[in-house]
Amino acid sequence: GPVADGPPGGWPGPAVDLRAEAVLPGDIAFGGAPIPQGPPRRVLLTGATGFLGAYLLAGLLRAAEADVHCLVRGDDPAGRLRGNLARYGLWDDRFTGRIVPERGDLGLPGLGLPTTRFAELADTVDLVVHNGALVNFALPYRRLRGANVDAVLDVLRLGASGRITTPVHLVSTLGVHLTPGERTVREGDPLPDPGALHLGYDQSKWVADRLADDARRTGLPVAIHRPARVAGDSRTGTPAPGDFLGRLFATCAGLGAVPDGERLDMAPVDHVAAAIAHLAAARATGDFHYYNPRVLGSAELAEGLRDHGFPVRLVPGPEWRRLVRDRLAAGDEVPIAPYPAFFAEYGGLPGPSFDCSATERALAAAGLACPPADGKLLDLYLDGYTRAGVLEGGCRV
């Protein structure tokens, strides 16, 4: 049924019928063109200038001997791609000549590509990894629809329309399952009723996820990858700029308080990217979930922050959320502000747990296992956030 665009007391928006939005257009269907087998030779990647995107680009270049065509907006796309890899220590001179920039824009029809170029790519690309999206947790569904829903339809159209049928690997989010109520979610489970999804972002990803699944039912080779919160590099501690964990840790340090009862999932970016690149290069289909089986509790977070020189105490979750709302109401800058669902009054309600054992089994054969979200990983991340200037004033004790 209809759902509001914003959470209760948040940003009221016109109701959108998400189920009606998730109806696959008739021109997107498997038409019988040959499906490529064997290692990919020409890959189209979207979202390569982002954090996960940098690691995916490097992972795809390592997982296959393919050239990777990257959809990029704006000027100097080649420089932006190389600079983004270098920023995270991922550039390798052996990548030279294998990265092909494609000027485009997910927010425009046809991915912002010239019509002839779209058709050329549909005929010649033998794998699409669609990782790009507009990530914004304050905008309503209607404002996210172009980049997050229409672009997915265009990617599926590209996969279905050429002389070959191009397999599509969609990077979705476990946020599509984040409706209230305790239950265990496994990879193949149907998506929940979207009426209980509060965020426009999760709503847009729910619609895109549903469309990709319907395209798969027509025979298109589609894999859907659903990460939870993608955390920093488990080897270097380097975080994503402005990410949720850094904002949460900085807010806890600033308030001198950690909300009790949290189970923080930290799926390191290097693991998630290596997993998606491996499965895409191996031409896997199906659904894959990336939720760290070992989560970090509130007490461990408080201990880690104290070890780094931030005197914090554990407070009940509702009290912590009220502290954040009071600070914001007083006009203070609070790092967690871009994630309103986390500190809203309804925040902290019990939601699903995730059993990703099918994905873990698929990856174990390739020697890929998620590093545990323990005190050691937290220390590495806290050091990374301190180096990045996200955490200030603490010192190792």
Side-chain angles (χ1 to χ4, degrees):
V3 297
D5 272 342
W11 313 264
V16 176
D17 185 344
L18 295 174
R19 289 188 183 278
E21 292 281 298
V23 175
L24 192 70
D27 68 317
I28 299 176
F30 177 55
I35 298 171
Q37 306 296 321
R41 309 300 303 172
R42 294 184 74 183
V43 181
L44 176 64
L45 172 65
T46 67
T49 55
F51 181 58
L52 176 58
Y55 285 82
L56 274 174
L57 174 53
L60 287 164
L61 288 163
R62 291 193 189 107
E65 291 296 312
D67 290 343
V68 183
H69 297 246
C70 298
L71 191 80
V72 190
R73 275 185 315 190
D75 297 327
D76 189 24
R80 286 183 64 204
L81 290 163
R82 179 169 178 156
N84 196 45
L85 287 169
R87 173 185 195 175
Y88 299 114
L90 300 171
W91 175 256
D92 182 328
D93 286 338
R94 287 172 294 191
F95 296 165
T96 306
R98 294 178 55 205
I99 300 172
V100 185
E102 301 282 351
R103 295 241 346 225
D105 188 332
L106 293 181
L108 297 176
L111 307 176
L113 291 162
T115 312
T116 51
R117 187 59 184 153
F118 186 97
E120 280 172 8
L121 290 170
D123 283 341
T124 56
V125 163
D126 61 9
L127 174 68
V128 181
V129 179
H130 181 46
N131 165 65
L134 177 51
V135 181
N136 184 303
F137 299 107
L139 288 179
Y141 171 83
R142 289 180 195 280
R143 297 271 303 279
L144 296 165
R145 178 185 178 178
N148 292 2
V149 176
D150 295 344
V152 168
L153 288 173
D154 282 327
V155 163
L156 294 168
R157 212 167 258 124
L158 187 145
S161 64
R163 284 198 290 265
I164 55 173
T165 300
T166 309
V168 172
H169 284 250
L170 172 68
V171 180
S172 180
T173 168
L174 278 174
V176 297
H177 280 289
L178 284 185
T179 55
E182 294 188 50
R183 62 200 184 279
T184 299
V185 172
R186 293 178 178 82
E187 287 87 349
D189 289 357
L191 298 186
D193 186 285
L197 291 172
H198 291 305
L199 294 179
Y201 176 75
D202 288 342
Q203 293 168 352
S204 72
K205 297 296 269 192
W206 185 94
V207 172
D209 198 303
R210 183 71 179 260
L211 290 165
D213 185 51
D214 284 352
R216 179 165 55 193
R217 289 172 202 275
T218 76
L220 275 181
V222 171
I224 301 174
H225 301 270
R226 300 188 187 103
R229 291 199 182 104
V230 177
D233 190 318
S234 71
R235 302 158 301 189
T236 63
T238 302
D243 75 339
F244 169 81
L245 285 174
R247 290 178 177 278
L248 173 63
F249 297 167
T251 302
C252 291
L255 293 174
V258 171
D260 204 1
E262 291 302 315
R263 295 183 324 219
L264 291 176
D265 159 64
M266 304 191 296
V269 65
D270 46 304
H271 168 71
V272 174
I276 294 172
H278 164 73
L279 292 165
R283 305 214 175 274
T285 54
D287 296 349
F288 301 96
H289 288 182
Y290 307 92
Y291 183 93
N292 199 327
R294 165 70 163 85
V295 294
L296 190 86
S298 297
E300 285 178 293
L301 173 57
E303 187 184 344
L305 283 166
R306 286 194 289 263
D307 285 348
H308 281 253
F310 298 100
V312 292
R313 60 196 173 96
L314 273 181
V315 301
E319 184 188 324
W320 187 90
R321 288 174 167 81
R322 196 167 55 248
L323 280 173
V324 171
R325 294 196 299 273
D326 289 349
R327 287 281 180 101
L328 286 168
D332 292 349
E333 281 194 19
V334 185
I336 199 78
Y339 293 88
F342 188 75
F343 57 82
E345 283 189 50
Y346 64 80
L349 292 177
S353 13
F354 297 100
D355 175 347
C356 309
S357 44
T359 304
E360 286 157 21
R361 281 195 299 275
L363 295 173
L368 294 167
C370 188
D374 55 11
K376 189 173 148 206
L377 189 63
L378 176 64
D379 273 348
L380 189 77
Y381 285 166
L382 291 173
D383 286 342
Y385 286 122
T386 304
R387 281 197 307 275
V390 174
L391 287 170
E392 292 167 4
C395 55
R396 294 299 289 272
V397 291

